[in-house]
Amino acid sequence: GNLGNAYDSLGDYPKAIEYHKRCLKILQEIKNREGEGNALGSLGIAYQALGDNPKAIEFYERWLKIAQEIKDRQREGQSLGSLGIAYDSMGDYPKAIEYHKRWLKIAQEIKDSRGESAALNNLGYTYYKTGNLQLAETTLEGSIHIQESLRGGLPDNNKITIFDTQRRTYRTLQQVLIAQNKTDAALLIAERGRARAFVELLANKLSDNPNEQL
């Protein structure tokens, strides 16, 4: 499984798929259902990276089924989100919105704030692609609001992950605002993103105390 992840990181997706399939086979033999679901998700990601969205959807659906069977609500939400992204890539925006909304609902029910933020980000992006700009704007703003609230108690590596997500959300929100001719608001969001990047840089370079508020 780790070899598969390493080949994923190198962009060698056929090799990654080979290792993920070997991992899946072992997990099925030892009846590790949670691990089996994770391996199916990894295969879906690799096939999607190759541009084979129908194959990715097949593996995501199998992952979703296992998550529902073992009552793993967090992974159920993640698999729904992955399905949403795959349908978005195929241009099936109604289906993508349906899956993103289902993930959002689960994330809110189990109080998974990071999942809620990611679901809102993906949903806002799909709204943008469908031309529903006002709804995209409010949805993306909701995602950023949650991301900002999460930063306080996170370890440094998770802060970096949150910031990477924020950066994508800021960029999409800028595009949404420009599409509505809200130039001043788009500039403000751009500056807000730059300010956040500067704060992250200061935190990494200057702060010996991770709890210090700069």
Side-chain angles (χ1 to χ4, degrees):
N2 289 336
L3 280 163
N5 292 337
Y7 279 110
D8 273 323
S9 298
L10 288 171
D12 189 345
Y13 301 114
K15 199 77 173 172
I17 287 167
E18 175 192 332
Y19 280 102
H20 287 315
K21 282 184 174 178
R22 288 171 64 183
C23 176
L24 175 63
K25 185 171 184 290
I26 292 170
L27 290 162
Q28 289 170 331
E29 287 171 357
I30 64 174
K31 298 182 174 18
N32 182 334
R33 294 290 277 163
E34 181 181 345
E36 182 183 349
N38 292 339
L40 289 166
S42 295
L43 280 163
I45 290 167
Y47 276 109
Q48 191 168 357
L50 284 172
D52 191 344
N53 286 299
K55 195 75 174 173
I57 286 169
E58 176 190 326
F59 282 104
Y60 289 147
E61 285 177 342
R62 289 170 62 186
W63 181 23
L64 172 62
K65 187 179 178 194
I66 288 175
Q68 290 171 330
E69 285 173 0
I70 65 175
K71 296 180 170 35
D72 186 333
R73 295 283 278 161
Q74 188 164 33
R75 283 180 173 79
E76 181 183 355
Q78 290 169 352
S79 58
L80 288 166
S82 296
L83 281 162
I85 292 169
Y87 279 110
D88 190 287
S89 298
M90 294 173 68
D92 189 343
Y93 301 127
K95 200 81 171 171
I97 289 168
E98 174 195 331
Y99 281 108
H100 290 321
K101 282 184 173 179
R102 286 173 64 185
W103 182 18
L104 178 61
K105 186 171 184 289
I106 288 174
Q108 289 170 334
E109 286 173 355
I110 65 174
K111 301 191 184 334
D112 175 12
S113 296
R114 292 182 69 175
E116 183 181 357
S117 172
L120 286 168
N121 173 74
N122 295 345
L123 191 55
Y125 179 73
T126 307
Y127 283 142
Y128 167 53
K129 291 179 81 171
T130 61
N132 195 336
L133 300 177
Q134 185 56 55
L135 195 51
E137 181 181 343
T138 55
T139 305
L140 292 166
E141 285 174 346
S143 177
I144 289 173
H145 177 73
I146 293 171
Q147 290 164 17
E148 291 286 358
S149 70
L150 284 174
R151 292 194 74 266
L154 292 175
D156 287 345
N157 59 332
N158 285 344
K159 285 181 181 178
I160 292 166
T161 304
I162 284 286
F163 176 58
D164 287 341
T165 306
Q166 264 186 333
R167 189 163 47 193
R168 290 192 296 272
T169 312
Y170 280 134
R171 191 180 304 121
T172 306
L173 182 54
Q174 286 172 49
Q175 293 170 330
V176 168
L177 292 166
I178 289 167
Q180 297 178 89
N181 293 317
K182 296 181 178 179
T183 312
D184 290 345
L187 286 168
L188 284 171
I189 286 294
E191 287 302 323
R192 190 167 154 192
R194 284 160 55 87
R196 171 55 60 197
F198 185 56
V199 167
E200 293 296 326
L201 181 63
L202 285 175
N204 288 333
K205 298 288 185 185
L206 304 177
S207 178
D208 293 325
N209 179 5
N211 297 317
E212 182 181 351
Q213 292 295 318
L214 295 175

mmCIF file of all heavy atoms in Angstrom, residues 6-54:
data_model
loop_
_atom_site.group_PDB
_atom_site.id
_atom_site.type_symbol
_atom_site.label_atom_id
_atom_site.label_comp_id
_atom_site.label_asym_id
_atom_site.label_seq_id
_atom_site.Cartn_x
_atom_site.Cartn_y
_atom_site.Cartn_z
ATOM 1 N N ALA A 6 3.694 5.759 -2.869
ATOM 2 C CA ALA A 6 4.946 6.370 -3.338
ATOM 3 C C ALA A 6 4.937 6.532 -4.860
ATOM 4 O O ALA A 6 5.339 7.580 -5.383
ATOM 5 C CB ALA A 6 6.137 5.512 -2.904
ATOM 6 N N TYR A 7 4.461 5.508 -5.555
ATOM 7 C CA TYR A 7 4.380 5.618 -7.015
ATOM 8 C C TYR A 7 3.332 6.650 -7.441
ATOM 9 O O TYR A 7 3.496 7.329 -8.459
ATOM 10 C CB TYR A 7 4.099 4.251 -7.649
ATOM 11 C CG TYR A 7 5.336 3.394 -7.783
ATOM 12 C CD1 TYR A 7 5.519 2.257 -6.998
ATOM 13 C CD2 TYR A 7 6.341 3.734 -8.688
ATOM 14 C CE1 TYR A 7 6.675 1.481 -7.106
ATOM 15 C CE2 TYR A 7 7.492 2.968 -8.800
ATOM 16 C CZ TYR A 7 7.653 1.838 -8.007
ATOM 17 O OH TYR A 7 8.800 1.094 -8.125
ATOM 18 N N ASP A 8 2.273 6.780 -6.647
ATOM 19 C CA ASP A 8 1.300 7.865 -6.888
ATOM 20 C C ASP A 8 2.008 9.210 -6.845
ATOM 21 O O ASP A 8 1.806 10.066 -7.705
ATOM 22 C CB ASP A 8 0.193 7.853 -5.821
ATOM 23 C CG ASP A 8 -0.955 6.926 -6.175
ATOM 24 O OD1 ASP A 8 -1.298 6.836 -7.371
ATOM 25 O OD2 ASP A 8 -1.501 6.295 -5.263
ATOM 26 N N SER A 9 2.829 9.405 -5.806
ATOM 27 C CA SER A 9 3.536 10.682 -5.637
ATOM 28 C C SER A 9 4.509 10.953 -6.776
ATOM 29 O O SER A 9 4.746 12.109 -7.135
ATOM 30 C CB SER A 9 4.298 10.691 -4.306
ATOM 31 O OG SER A 9 3.398 10.579 -3.227
ATOM 32 N N LEU A 10 5.068 9.886 -7.349
ATOM 33 C CA LEU A 10 5.988 10.035 -8.483
ATOM 34 C C LEU A 10 5.252 10.238 -9.810
ATOM 35 O O LEU A 10 5.870 10.540 -10.818
ATOM 36 C CB LEU A 10 6.876 8.784 -8.602
ATOM 37 C CG LEU A 10 7.963 8.607 -7.548
ATOM 38 C CD1 LEU A 10 8.587 7.221 -7.671
ATOM 39 C CD2 LEU A 10 9.032 9.686 -7.699
ATOM 40 N N GLY A 11 3.918 10.048 -9.777
ATOM 41 C CA GLY A 11 3.140 10.177 -11.008
ATOM 42 C C GLY A 11 3.156 8.928 -11.864
ATOM 43 O O GLY A 11 2.700 8.949 -13.004
ATOM 44 N N ASP A 12 3.688 7.824 -11.321
ATOM 45 C CA ASP A 12 3.703 6.554 -12.055
ATOM 46 C C ASP A 12 2.451 5.769 -11.665
ATOM 47 O O ASP A 12 2.496 4.834 -10.856
ATOM 48 C CB ASP A 12 4.976 5.771 -11.717
ATOM 49 C CG ASP A 12 5.166 4.534 -12.611
ATOM 50 O OD1 ASP A 12 4.196 4.134 -13.276
ATOM 51 O OD2 ASP A 12 6.277 3.992 -12.626
ATOM 52 N N TYR A 13 1.315 6.153 -12.248
ATOM 53 C CA TYR A 13 0.031 5.607 -11.817
ATOM 54 C C TYR A 13 -0.175 4.136 -12.201
ATOM 55 O O TYR A 13 -0.764 3.386 -11.408
ATOM 56 C CB TYR A 13 -1.109 6.491 -12.330
ATOM 57 C CG TYR A 13 -0.977 7.907 -11.815
ATOM 58 C CD1 TYR A 13 -0.719 8.967 -12.682
ATOM 59 C CD2 TYR A 13 -1.064 8.182 -10.456
ATOM 60 C CE1 TYR A 13 -0.556 10.259 -12.209
ATOM 61 C CE2 TYR A 13 -0.906 9.472 -9.966
ATOM 62 C CZ TYR A 13 -0.649 10.497 -10.851
ATOM 63 O OH TYR A 13 -0.485 11.768 -10.369
ATOM 64 N N PRO A 14 0.300 3.676 -13.369
ATOM 65 C CA PRO A 14 0.168 2.233 -13.648
ATOM 66 C C PRO A 14 0.881 1.373 -12.592
ATOM 67 O O PRO A 14 0.356 0.347 -12.163
ATOM 68 C CB PRO A 14 0.810 2.087 -15.035
ATOM 69 C CG PRO A 14 0.616 3.422 -15.671
ATOM 70 C CD PRO A 14 0.785 4.413 -14.550
ATOM 71 N N LYS A 15 2.068 1.798 -12.173
ATOM 72 C CA LYS A 15 2.794 1.068 -11.133
ATOM 73 C C LYS A 15 2.056 1.169 -9.801
ATOM 74 O O LYS A 15 1.975 0.187 -9.044
ATOM 75 C CB LYS A 15 4.209 1.648 -11.000
ATOM 76 C CG LYS A 15 5.187 0.716 -10.315
ATOM 77 C CD LYS A 15 5.652 -0.380 -11.249
ATOM 78 C CE LYS A 15 6.755 -1.216 -10.623
ATOM 79 N NZ LYS A 15 7.073 -2.394 -11.454
ATOM 80 N N ALA A 16 1.524 2.358 -9.506
ATOM 81 C CA ALA A 16 0.748 2.539 -8.270
ATOM 82 C C ALA A 16 -0.439 1.588 -8.248
ATOM 83 O O ALA A 16 -0.725 0.953 -7.223
ATOM 84 C CB ALA A 16 0.277 3.987 -8.156
ATOM 85 N N ILE A 17 -1.131 1.478 -9.383
ATOM 86 C CA ILE A 17 -2.305 0.605 -9.469
ATOM 87 C C ILE A 17 -1.910 -0.849 -9.220
ATOM 88 O O ILE A 17 -2.605 -1.591 -8.521
ATOM 89 C CB ILE A 17 -2.995 0.776 -10.842
ATOM 90 C CG1 ILE A 17 -3.721 2.129 -10.880
ATOM 91 C CG2 ILE A 17 -3.972 -0.366 -11.123
ATOM 92 C CD1 ILE A 17 -4.169 2.555 -12.260
ATOM 93 N N GLU A 18 -0.765 -1.241 -9.775
ATOM 94 C CA GLU A 18 -0.279 -2.616 -9.576
ATOM 95 C C GLU A 18 -0.118 -2.917 -8.091
ATOM 96 O O GLU A 18 -0.584 -3.965 -7.599
ATOM 97 C CB GLU A 18 1.060 -2.784 -10.300
ATOM 98 C CG GLU A 18 1.720 -4.133 -10.061
ATOM 99 C CD GLU A 18 3.170 -4.152 -10.540
ATOM 100 O OE1 GLU A 18 3.515 -3.394 -11.481
ATOM 101 O OE2 GLU A 18 3.959 -4.920 -9.961
ATOM 102 N N TYR A 19 0.503 -2.003 -7.332
ATOM 103 C CA TYR A 19 0.726 -2.231 -5.906
ATOM 104 C C TYR A 19 -0.563 -2.115 -5.100
ATOM 105 O O TYR A 19 -0.779 -2.878 -4.141
ATOM 106 C CB TYR A 19 1.795 -1.271 -5.377
ATOM 107 C CG TYR A 19 3.194 -1.734 -5.705
ATOM 108 C CD1 TYR A 19 3.922 -1.169 -6.734
ATOM 109 C CD2 TYR A 19 3.782 -2.772 -4.979
ATOM 110 C CE1 TYR A 19 5.204 -1.606 -7.044
ATOM 111 C CE2 TYR A 19 5.058 -3.215 -5.276
ATOM 112 C CZ TYR A 19 5.764 -2.635 -6.310
ATOM 113 O OH TYR A 19 7.018 -3.091 -6.610
ATOM 114 N N HIS A 20 -1.419 -1.167 -5.452
ATOM 115 C CA HIS A 20 -2.698 -1.037 -4.736
ATOM 116 C C HIS A 20 -3.552 -2.299 -4.924
ATOM 117 O O HIS A 20 -4.259 -2.727 -4.004
ATOM 118 C CB HIS A 20 -3.456 0.197 -5.209
ATOM 119 C CG HIS A 20 -2.868 1.493 -4.734
ATOM 120 N ND1 HIS A 20 -2.454 1.691 -3.438
ATOM 121 C CD2 HIS A 20 -2.635 2.671 -5.389
ATOM 122 C CE1 HIS A 20 -1.986 2.925 -3.303
ATOM 123 N NE2 HIS A 20 -2.079 3.520 -4.475
ATOM 124 N N LYS A 21 -3.483 -2.911 -6.098
ATOM 125 C CA LYS A 21 -4.253 -4.136 -6.347
ATOM 126 C C LYS A 21 -3.699 -5.304 -5.532
ATOM 127 O O LYS A 21 -4.461 -6.129 -5.004
ATOM 128 C CB LYS A 21 -4.259 -4.476 -7.839
ATOM 129 C CG LYS A 21 -5.226 -3.617 -8.635
ATOM 130 C CD LYS A 21 -5.292 -4.048 -10.100
ATOM 131 C CE LYS A 21 -6.380 -3.264 -10.836
ATOM 132 N NZ LYS A 21 -6.439 -3.618 -12.265
ATOM 133 N N ARG A 22 -2.381 -5.370 -5.399
ATOM 134 C CA ARG A 22 -1.775 -6.419 -4.571
ATOM 135 C C ARG A 22 -2.155 -6.219 -3.103
ATOM 136 O O ARG A 22 -2.434 -7.183 -2.379
ATOM 137 C CB ARG A 22 -0.257 -6.400 -4.749
ATOM 138 C CG ARG A 22 0.191 -6.925 -6.110
ATOM 139 C CD ARG A 22 1.674 -6.707 -6.351
ATOM 140 N NE ARG A 22 2.501 -7.457 -5.401
ATOM 141 C CZ ARG A 22 3.825 -7.388 -5.370
ATOM 142 N NH1 ARG A 22 4.472 -6.600 -6.229
ATOM 143 N NH2 ARG A 22 4.521 -8.096 -4.499
ATOM 144 N N CYS A 23 -2.163 -4.966 -2.689
ATOM 145 C CA CYS A 23 -2.580 -4.624 -1.318
ATOM 146 C C CYS A 23 -4.042 -5.036 -1.091
ATOM 147 O O CYS A 23 -4.383 -5.653 -0.074
ATOM 148 C CB CYS A 23 -2.400 -3.124 -1.101
ATOM 149 S SG CYS A 23 -2.966 -2.513 0.500
ATOM 150 N N LEU A 24 -4.893 -4.706 -2.052
ATOM 151 C CA LEU A 24 -6.319 -5.017 -1.959
ATOM 152 C C LEU A 24 -6.541 -6.522 -1.815
ATOM 153 O O LEU A 24 -7.351 -6.966 -0.994
ATOM 154 C CB LEU A 24 -7.049 -4.488 -3.198
ATOM 155 C CG LEU A 24 -8.527 -4.821 -3.315
ATOM 156 C CD1 LEU A 24 -9.327 -4.190 -2.181
ATOM 157 C CD2 LEU A 24 -9.080 -4.339 -4.666
ATOM 158 N N LYS A 25 -5.822 -7.297 -2.597
ATOM 159 C CA LYS A 25 -5.976 -8.753 -2.578
ATOM 160 C C LYS A 25 -5.666 -9.319 -1.189
ATOM 161 O O LYS A 25 -6.411 -10.163 -0.669
ATOM 162 C CB LYS A 25 -5.063 -9.387 -3.629
ATOM 163 C CG LYS A 25 -5.221 -10.901 -3.806
ATOM 164 C CD LYS A 25 -4.431 -11.377 -5.008
ATOM 165 C CE LYS A 25 -4.652 -12.866 -5.253
ATOM 166 N NZ LYS A 25 -4.047 -13.718 -4.229
ATOM 167 N N ILE A 26 -4.571 -8.855 -0.588
ATOM 168 C CA ILE A 26 -4.199 -9.330 0.751
ATOM 169 C C ILE A 26 -5.256 -8.934 1.780
ATOM 170 O O ILE A 26 -5.655 -9.740 2.635
ATOM 171 C CB ILE A 26 -2.810 -8.791 1.159
ATOM 172 C CG1 ILE A 26 -1.721 -9.429 0.294
ATOM 173 C CG2 ILE A 26 -2.538 -9.045 2.642
ATOM 174 C CD1 ILE A 26 -0.357 -8.786 0.443
ATOM 175 N N LEU A 27 -5.709 -7.705 1.713
ATOM 176 C CA LEU A 27 -6.707 -7.221 2.676
ATOM 177 C C LEU A 27 -8.011 -7.997 2.563
ATOM 178 O O LEU A 27 -8.681 -8.261 3.568
ATOM 179 C CB LEU A 27 -6.944 -5.716 2.459
ATOM 180 C CG LEU A 27 -5.770 -4.827 2.878
ATOM 181 C CD1 LEU A 27 -5.881 -3.447 2.256
ATOM 182 C CD2 LEU A 27 -5.704 -4.706 4.394
ATOM 183 N N GLN A 28 -8.372 -8.386 1.333
ATOM 184 C CA GLN A 28 -9.578 -9.206 1.146
ATOM 185 C C GLN A 28 -9.374 -10.601 1.734
ATOM 186 O O GLN A 28 -10.283 -11.155 2.351
ATOM 187 C CB GLN A 28 -9.924 -9.290 -0.343
ATOM 188 C CG GLN A 28 -10.456 -7.991 -0.910
ATOM 189 C CD GLN A 28 -10.579 -7.995 -2.425
ATOM 190 O OE1 GLN A 28 -9.828 -8.688 -3.128
ATOM 191 N NE2 GLN A 28 -11.519 -7.229 -2.954
ATOM 192 N N GLU A 29 -8.163 -11.134 1.573
ATOM 193 C CA GLU A 29 -7.876 -12.472 2.092
ATOM 194 C C GLU A 29 -7.931 -12.515 3.618
ATOM 195 O O GLU A 29 -8.405 -13.498 4.196
ATOM 196 C CB GLU A 29 -6.502 -12.936 1.602
ATOM 197 C CG GLU A 29 -6.481 -13.309 0.118
ATOM 198 C CD GLU A 29 -5.067 -13.552 -0.400
ATOM 199 O OE1 GLU A 29 -4.101 -13.362 0.389
ATOM 200 O OE2 GLU A 29 -4.926 -13.913 -1.586
ATOM 201 N N ILE A 30 -7.462 -11.449 4.267
ATOM 202 C CA ILE A 30 -7.458 -11.436 5.738
ATOM 203 C C ILE A 30 -8.723 -10.782 6.305
ATOM 204 O O ILE A 30 -8.841 -10.587 7.508
ATOM 205 C CB ILE A 30 -6.199 -10.735 6.298
ATOM 206 C CG1 ILE A 30 -6.155 -9.248 5.908
ATOM 207 C CG2 ILE A 30 -4.935 -11.446 5.823
ATOM 208 C CD1 ILE A 30 -5.013 -8.471 6.549
ATOM 209 N N LYS A 31 -9.630 -10.441 5.390
ATOM 210 C CA LYS A 31 -10.937 -9.882 5.769
ATOM 211 C C LYS A 31 -10.828 -8.593 6.591
ATOM 212 O O LYS A 31 -11.545 -8.395 7.581
ATOM 213 C CB LYS A 31 -11.772 -10.923 6.519
ATOM 214 C CG LYS A 31 -12.090 -12.156 5.661
ATOM 215 C CD LYS A 31 -12.955 -13.134 6.395
ATOM 216 C CE LYS A 31 -13.427 -14.296 5.553
ATOM 217 N NZ LYS A 31 -12.748 -14.593 4.319
ATOM 218 N N ASN A 32 -9.907 -7.734 6.186
ATOM 219 C CA ASN A 32 -9.773 -6.404 6.797
ATOM 220 C C ASN A 32 -10.627 -5.437 5.984
ATOM 221 O O ASN A 32 -10.185 -4.886 4.974
ATOM 222 C CB ASN A 32 -8.305 -5.970 6.793
ATOM 223 C CG ASN A 32 -8.089 -4.620 7.462
ATOM 224 O OD1 ASN A 32 -8.985 -3.776 7.521
ATOM 225 N ND2 ASN A 32 -6.892 -4.396 7.967
ATOM 226 N N ARG A 33 -11.859 -5.233 6.415
ATOM 227 C CA ARG A 33 -12.818 -4.473 5.605
ATOM 228 C C ARG A 33 -12.453 -2.994 5.521
ATOM 229 O O ARG A 33 -12.598 -2.373 4.461
ATOM 230 C CB ARG A 33 -14.225 -4.633 6.188
ATOM 231 C CG ARG A 33 -14.770 -6.022 6.113
ATOM 232 C CD ARG A 33 -15.092 -6.429 4.687
ATOM 233 N NE ARG A 33 -16.409 -5.949 4.288
ATOM 234 C CZ ARG A 33 -16.826 -5.863 3.027
ATOM 235 N NH1 ARG A 33 -16.013 -6.180 2.046
ATOM 236 N NH2 ARG A 33 -18.042 -5.437 2.744
ATOM 237 N N GLU A 34 -11.996 -2.423 6.629
ATOM 238 C CA GLU A 34 -11.616 -1.008 6.598
ATOM 239 C C GLU A 34 -10.438 -0.792 5.639
ATOM 240 O O GLU A 34 -10.450 0.124 4.820
ATOM 241 C CB GLU A 34 -11.239 -0.526 7.999
ATOM 242 C CG GLU A 34 -10.855 0.944 8.043
ATOM 243 C CD GLU A 34 -10.464 1.426 9.430
ATOM 244 O OE1 GLU A 34 -10.751 0.713 10.407
ATOM 245 O OE2 GLU A 34 -9.856 2.508 9.521
ATOM 246 N N GLY A 35 -9.425 -1.653 5.752
ATOM 247 C CA GLY A 35 -8.284 -1.549 4.862
ATOM 248 C C GLY A 35 -8.659 -1.779 3.415
ATOM 249 O O GLY A 35 -8.153 -1.119 2.497
ATOM 250 N N GLU A 36 -9.570 -2.726 3.182
ATOM 251 C CA GLU A 36 -10.052 -3.001 1.836
ATOM 252 C C GLU A 36 -10.688 -1.748 1.228
ATOM 253 O O GLU A 36 -10.436 -1.404 0.069
ATOM 254 C CB GLU A 36 -11.070 -4.143 1.880
ATOM 255 C CG GLU A 36 -11.598 -4.554 0.510
ATOM 256 C CD GLU A 36 -12.664 -5.642 0.607
ATOM 257 O OE1 GLU A 36 -12.852 -6.236 1.697
ATOM 258 O OE2 GLU A 36 -13.328 -5.901 -0.410
ATOM 259 N N GLY A 37 -11.487 -1.070 2.028
ATOM 260 C CA GLY A 37 -12.120 0.162 1.553
ATOM 261 C C GLY A 37 -11.090 1.220 1.195
ATOM 262 O O GLY A 37 -11.189 1.877 0.155
ATOM 263 N N ASN A 38 -10.070 1.365 2.057
ATOM 264 C CA ASN A 38 -9.024 2.355 1.787
ATOM 265 C C ASN A 38 -8.268 2.031 0.503
ATOM 266 O O ASN A 38 -7.914 2.929 -0.269
ATOM 267 C CB ASN A 38 -8.052 2.429 2.969
ATOM 268 C CG ASN A 38 -8.700 3.013 4.211
ATOM 269 O OD1 ASN A 38 -9.708 3.714 4.122
ATOM 270 N ND2 ASN A 38 -8.145 2.715 5.363
ATOM 271 N N ALA A 39 -7.988 0.733 0.277
ATOM 272 C CA ALA A 39 -7.281 0.327 -0.938
ATOM 273 C C ALA A 39 -8.135 0.611 -2.176
ATOM 274 O O ALA A 39 -7.618 1.048 -3.216
ATOM 275 C CB ALA A 39 -6.933 -1.159 -0.861
ATOM 276 N N LEU A 40 -9.429 0.382 -2.072
ATOM 277 C CA LEU A 40 -10.335 0.694 -3.181
ATOM 278 C C LEU A 40 -10.320 2.195 -3.477
ATOM 279 O O LEU A 40 -10.312 2.610 -4.639
ATOM 280 C CB LEU A 40 -11.758 0.237 -2.849
ATOM 281 C CG LEU A 40 -11.987 -1.276 -2.828
ATOM 282 C CD1 LEU A 40 -13.310 -1.609 -2.159
ATOM 283 C CD2 LEU A 40 -11.948 -1.847 -4.245
ATOM 284 N N GLY A 41 -10.315 3.007 -2.405
ATOM 285 C CA GLY A 41 -10.235 4.452 -2.587
ATOM 286 C C GLY A 41 -8.949 4.866 -3.275
ATOM 287 O O GLY A 41 -8.943 5.720 -4.163
ATOM 288 N N SER A 42 -7.825 4.240 -2.880
ATOM 289 C CA SER A 42 -6.530 4.549 -3.494
ATOM 290 C C SER A 42 -6.530 4.182 -4.972
ATOM 291 O O SER A 42 -5.968 4.912 -5.808
ATOM 292 C CB SER A 42 -5.411 3.796 -2.767
ATOM 293 O OG SER A 42 -5.299 4.245 -1.434
ATOM 294 N N LEU A 43 -7.146 3.059 -5.305
ATOM 295 C CA LEU A 43 -7.248 2.667 -6.720
ATOM 296 C C LEU A 43 -8.090 3.670 -7.499
ATOM 297 O O LEU A 43 -7.757 4.025 -8.633
ATOM 298 C CB LEU A 43 -7.848 1.263 -6.823
ATOM 299 C CG LEU A 43 -6.855 0.125 -6.567
ATOM 300 C CD1 LEU A 43 -7.579 -1.180 -6.266
ATOM 301 C CD2 LEU A 43 -5.943 -0.043 -7.773
ATOM 302 N N GLY A 44 -9.164 4.133 -6.883
ATOM 303 C CA GLY A 44 -9.994 5.140 -7.543
ATOM 304 C C GLY A 44 -9.216 6.405 -7.840
ATOM 305 O O GLY A 44 -9.300 6.967 -8.942
ATOM 306 N N ILE A 45 -8.407 6.844 -6.869
ATOM 307 C CA ILE A 45 -7.600 8.059 -7.043
ATOM 308 C C ILE A 45 -6.599 7.875 -8.186
ATOM 309 O O ILE A 45 -6.406 8.766 -9.018
ATOM 310 C CB ILE A 45 -6.877 8.412 -5.724
ATOM 311 C CG1 ILE A 45 -7.895 8.895 -4.680
ATOM 312 C CG2 ILE A 45 -5.809 9.481 -5.956
ATOM 313 C CD1 ILE A 45 -7.338 8.973 -3.271
ATOM 314 N N ALA A 46 -5.958 6.699 -8.232
ATOM 315 C CA ALA A 46 -4.958 6.446 -9.274
ATOM 316 C C ALA A 46 -5.597 6.413 -10.668
ATOM 317 O O ALA A 46 -5.061 6.993 -11.624
ATOM 318 C CB ALA A 46 -4.227 5.136 -8.988
ATOM 319 N N TYR A 47 -6.738 5.750 -10.777
ATOM 320 C CA TYR A 47 -7.416 5.708 -12.079
ATOM 321 C C TYR A 47 -7.903 7.094 -12.491
ATOM 322 O O TYR A 47 -7.857 7.455 -13.672
ATOM 323 C CB TYR A 47 -8.587 4.719 -12.043
ATOM 324 C CG TYR A 47 -8.172 3.292 -12.305
ATOM 325 C CD1 TYR A 47 -8.171 2.337 -11.290
ATOM 326 C CD2 TYR A 47 -7.765 2.891 -13.579
ATOM 327 C CE1 TYR A 47 -7.776 1.029 -11.531
ATOM 328 C CE2 TYR A 47 -7.372 1.582 -13.825
ATOM 329 C CZ TYR A 47 -7.375 0.656 -12.805
ATOM 330 O OH TYR A 47 -6.977 -0.637 -13.052
ATOM 331 N N GLN A 48 -8.356 7.881 -11.521
ATOM 332 C CA GLN A 48 -8.792 9.237 -11.859
ATOM 333 C C GLN A 48 -7.617 10.084 -12.340
ATOM 334 O O GLN A 48 -7.753 10.882 -13.270
ATOM 335 C CB GLN A 48 -9.459 9.891 -10.644
ATOM 336 C CG GLN A 48 -10.172 11.188 -11.007
ATOM 337 C CD GLN A 48 -11.069 11.685 -9.897
ATOM 338 O OE1 GLN A 48 -11.216 11.038 -8.867
ATOM 339 N NE2 GLN A 48 -11.671 12.828 -10.087
ATOM 340 N N ALA A 49 -6.452 9.892 -11.716
ATOM 341 C CA ALA A 49 -5.255 10.626 -12.143
ATOM 342 C C ALA A 49 -4.876 10.270 -13.581
ATOM 343 O O ALA A 49 -4.309 11.090 -14.305
ATOM 344 C CB ALA A 49 -4.100 10.336 -11.200
ATOM 345 N N LEU A 50 -5.200 9.043 -13.991
ATOM 346 C CA LEU A 50 -4.946 8.617 -15.377
ATOM 347 C C LEU A 50 -6.014 9.125 -16.341
ATOM 348 O O LEU A 50 -5.895 8.934 -17.552
ATOM 349 C CB LEU A 50 -4.888 7.079 -15.446
ATOM 350 C CG LEU A 50 -3.612 6.407 -14.937
ATOM 351 C CD1 LEU A 50 -3.801 4.888 -14.903
ATOM 352 C CD2 LEU A 50 -2.427 6.773 -15.808
ATOM 353 N N GLY A 51 -7.068 9.750 -15.790
ATOM 354 C CA GLY A 51 -8.144 10.253 -16.632
ATOM 355 C C GLY A 51 -9.243 9.240 -16.901
ATOM 356 O O GLY A 51 -10.143 9.492 -17.700
ATOM 357 N N ASP A 52 -9.173 8.092 -16.229
ATOM 358 C CA ASP A 52 -10.193 7.055 -16.412
ATOM 359 C C ASP A 52 -11.254 7.214 -15.323
ATOM 360 O O ASP A 52 -11.292 6.454 -14.351
ATOM 361 C CB ASP A 52 -9.544 5.669 -16.346
ATOM 362 C CG ASP A 52 -10.484 4.549 -16.796
ATOM 363 O OD1 ASP A 52 -11.703 4.795 -16.855
ATOM 364 O OD2 ASP A 52 -9.990 3.441 -17.072
ATOM 365 N N ASN A 53 -12.110 8.206 -15.496
ATOM 366 C CA ASN A 53 -13.118 8.497 -14.477
ATOM 367 C C ASN A 53 -14.140 7.379 -14.289
ATOM 368 O O ASN A 53 -14.531 7.102 -13.151
ATOM 369 C CB ASN A 53 -13.819 9.820 -14.803
ATOM 370 C CG ASN A 53 -12.933 11.015 -14.507
ATOM 371 O OD1 ASN A 53 -12.517 11.234 -13.376
ATOM 372 N ND2 ASN A 53 -12.616 11.798 -15.524
ATOM 373 N N PRO A 54 -14.619 6.711 -15.365
ATOM 374 C CA PRO A 54 -15.564 5.608 -15.136
ATOM 375 C C PRO A 54 -14.979 4.505 -14.257
ATOM 376 O O PRO A 54 -15.666 3.966 -13.388
ATOM 377 C CB PRO A 54 -15.850 5.107 -16.559
ATOM 378 C CG PRO A 54 -15.639 6.303 -17.423
ATOM 379 C CD PRO A 54 -14.483 7.028 -16.792
#
